Amino acid sequence: MEVVKVDFRDTKGIPPSGLCVGVHRAGAMHRKMVQKHGNGLAVWSLRPENDFIAFKALEDEEGIRSTNDMHSIKEEKLIYGVRGAPPEVRRQAREQGLELLADATCPFVVQQEEAELELLDQGCHLVILSSRTHHGIPRLMGIATEKEREVFIVEKEEDVDDIRLTRFEPVGVIVQTTFWMESYKKIMARILERFANVRIRNTACIDSLQRLPKVEELARDVEAVVIFGWTEGMTNRMEEVAKAFNDKVYRIEKIEDLDRSWFTGMSRVGIVGANETTDERVDEAVERIKSMAA
Ligand code: SF4
């Protein structure tokens, strides 16, 4: 059986590690902080239980710890994780007098927050194209709540009909960092049909713009697709894209999740890593699939 792996090494905007720019950069920042300050560091993360493998290695070796419980941080020095921190978390940190060493929020997440503030300051009602469970939603909602504005989340075209605004009210649209452009185009067409005063900030990150078309290519080319990842954002989007072109899509969070029965009778399967899965881990999964077929 042939195993086709999506190789991101030559893809513009994706570091050779296979991680996305934001995660790669955050990992480097964490490492630098550990070297400079030693143990006693806490990373505030929206989803600490699912932090990326590069970080986990650091946690095991260096004693840096990931948490989303601000009250548990007392003696430690603080770092904000790659997915950013909502306003109330930042306020809480100031109230607790915690020392902030570094903010590893992904630059695309920061850009998205800036776009949101700009649209809110222009008096727009906010529409976010995103899944409701995306980890970025509490942060974006927190920003809008501070400005006493309502937010409408649109996952699919039909949700546009539920936006409680009239035709001429100003609508500001931002896009979840990990969003599939094909869905974006369809939803935007519907928004433009319904509203007359629309401002759009396309805040999809470079990683989703590069990674998702590769998933489509792979899904069209193989009999089954394995997606190796665990994030609500990118992994879910990759699954959405793959399922649009292939009805045999399997998702794994770790190599042990692979199941021999998925590949029975197949001659060509594909695998692709999400934004927090290193290229090395994907290689290990490829070897495991090959050994299952042997
Ligand atoms: S997937 Fe995109 S937005 Fe999310 S951390 Fe990576 S580069 Fe940043």
Side-chain angles (χ1 to χ4, degrees):
M1 181 176 65
E2 187 185 357
V3 183
V4 182
K5 175 192 130 185
V6 178
D7 196 334
F8 290 114
R9 269 171 297 196
D10 297 325
T11 306
K12 194 176 151 212
I14 298 185
S17 58
L19 302 171
C20 69
V21 173
V23 171
H24 190 86
R25 173 180 171 274
M29 284 174 85
H30 294 160
R31 234 165 265 121
K32 198 168 154 197
M33 289 301 114
V34 167
Q35 279 164 10
K36 205 164 159 196
H37 301 276
N39 291 345
L41 310 182
V43 175
W44 191 90
S45 168
L46 277 161
R47 300 193 65 213
E49 76 286 3
N50 270 356
D51 252 317
F52 47 95
I53 283 174
F55 177 80
K56 282 282 176 220
L58 204 64
E59 192 174 40
D60 294 343
E61 287 163 24
E62 311 284 354
I64 187 171
R65 132 185 126 87
S66 175
T67 178
N68 60 8
D69 177 9
M70 212 45 158
H71 294 287
S72 75
I73 308 174
K74 292 198 166 63
E75 305 303 322
E76 299 152 300
K77 294 186 174 94
L78 177 65
I79 300 170
Y80 291 135
V82 63
R83 302 180 184 96
E88 69 271 16
V89 168
R90 293 175 186 265
R91 195 167 40 244
Q92 178 76 39
R94 285 194 295 275
E95 280 169 19
Q96 285 179 228
L98 296 174
E99 184 183 350
L100 179 67
L101 291 184
D103 185 345
T105 308
C106 171
F108 292 103
V109 171
V110 174
Q111 210 173 57
Q112 186 190 47
E113 288 178 3
E114 287 169 357
E116 177 180 11
L117 282 169
E118 198 182 302
L119 292 169
L120 291 170
D121 287 344
Q122 288 170 4
C124 292
H125 300 280
L126 201 69
V127 171
I128 307 173
L129 309 197
S130 171
S131 73
R132 283 167 217 283
T133 55
H134 192 283
H135 53 256
I137 290 297
R139 187 177 38 78
L140 296 169
M141 298 285 264
I143 293 170
T145 306
E146 283 217 320
K147 299 257 175 195
E148 298 179 347
R149 294 294 171 74
E150 200 177 352
V151 174
F152 301 95
I153 298 171
V154 171
E155 284 188 288
K156 48 192 187 312
E157 284 170 87
E158 302 82 81
D159 296 341
V160 175
D161 302 338
D162 297 332
I163 300 174
R164 295 180 307 278
L165 295 173
T166 57
R167 180 163 179 77
F168 294 100
E169 284 181 279
V171 172
V173 180
I174 60 170
V175 183
Q176 193 49 268
T177 48
T178 48
F179 205 72
W180 187 25
M181 277 302 116
E182 292 312 308
S183 304
Y184 168 83
K185 287 178 209 163
K186 285 183 199 148
I187 294 170
M188 275 319 303
R190 193 111 157 202
I191 287 176
L192 291 169
E193 263 169 33
R194 232 203 105 183
F195 298 104
N197 187 359
V198 181
R199 284 164 223 187
I200 308 162
R201 292 292 303 271
N202 182 356
T203 43
C205 76
I206 190 166
D207 199 78
S208 51
L209 293 173
Q210 301 293 349
R211 203 174 294 259
L212 297 179
K214 296 270 185 189
V215 176
E216 175 181 336
E217 234 172 79
L218 181 74
R220 286 179 183 279
D221 181 44
V222 294
E223 290 161 89
V225 182
V226 176
I227 294 173
F228 191 172
W230 54 92
T231 57
E232 283 159 353
M234 186 62 79
T235 313
N236 284 355
R237 287 295 76 63
M238 289 169 70
E239 192 176 5
E240 179 191 351
V241 174
K243 282 184 170 166
F245 302 99
N246 195 309
D247 56 6
K248 295 216 165 33
V249 177
Y250 303 103
R251 180 166 160 168
I252 61 166
E253 294 194 2
K254 48 191 187 312
I255 291 167
E256 295 69 35
D257 295 338
L258 286 165
D259 187 329
R260 186 188 299 270
S261 68
W262 296 342
F263 314 118
T264 309
M266 291 191 184
S267 56
R268 190 172 165 81
V269 304
I271 182 163
V272 57
N275 63 319
E276 296 185 4
T277 310
T278 59
D279 203 49
E280 275 173 22
R281 299 281 291 161
V282 181
D283 283 339
E284 285 171 35
V286 168
E287 289 313 311
R288 181 67 66 89
I289 297 171
K290 283 183 181 164
S291 74
M292 284 175 163

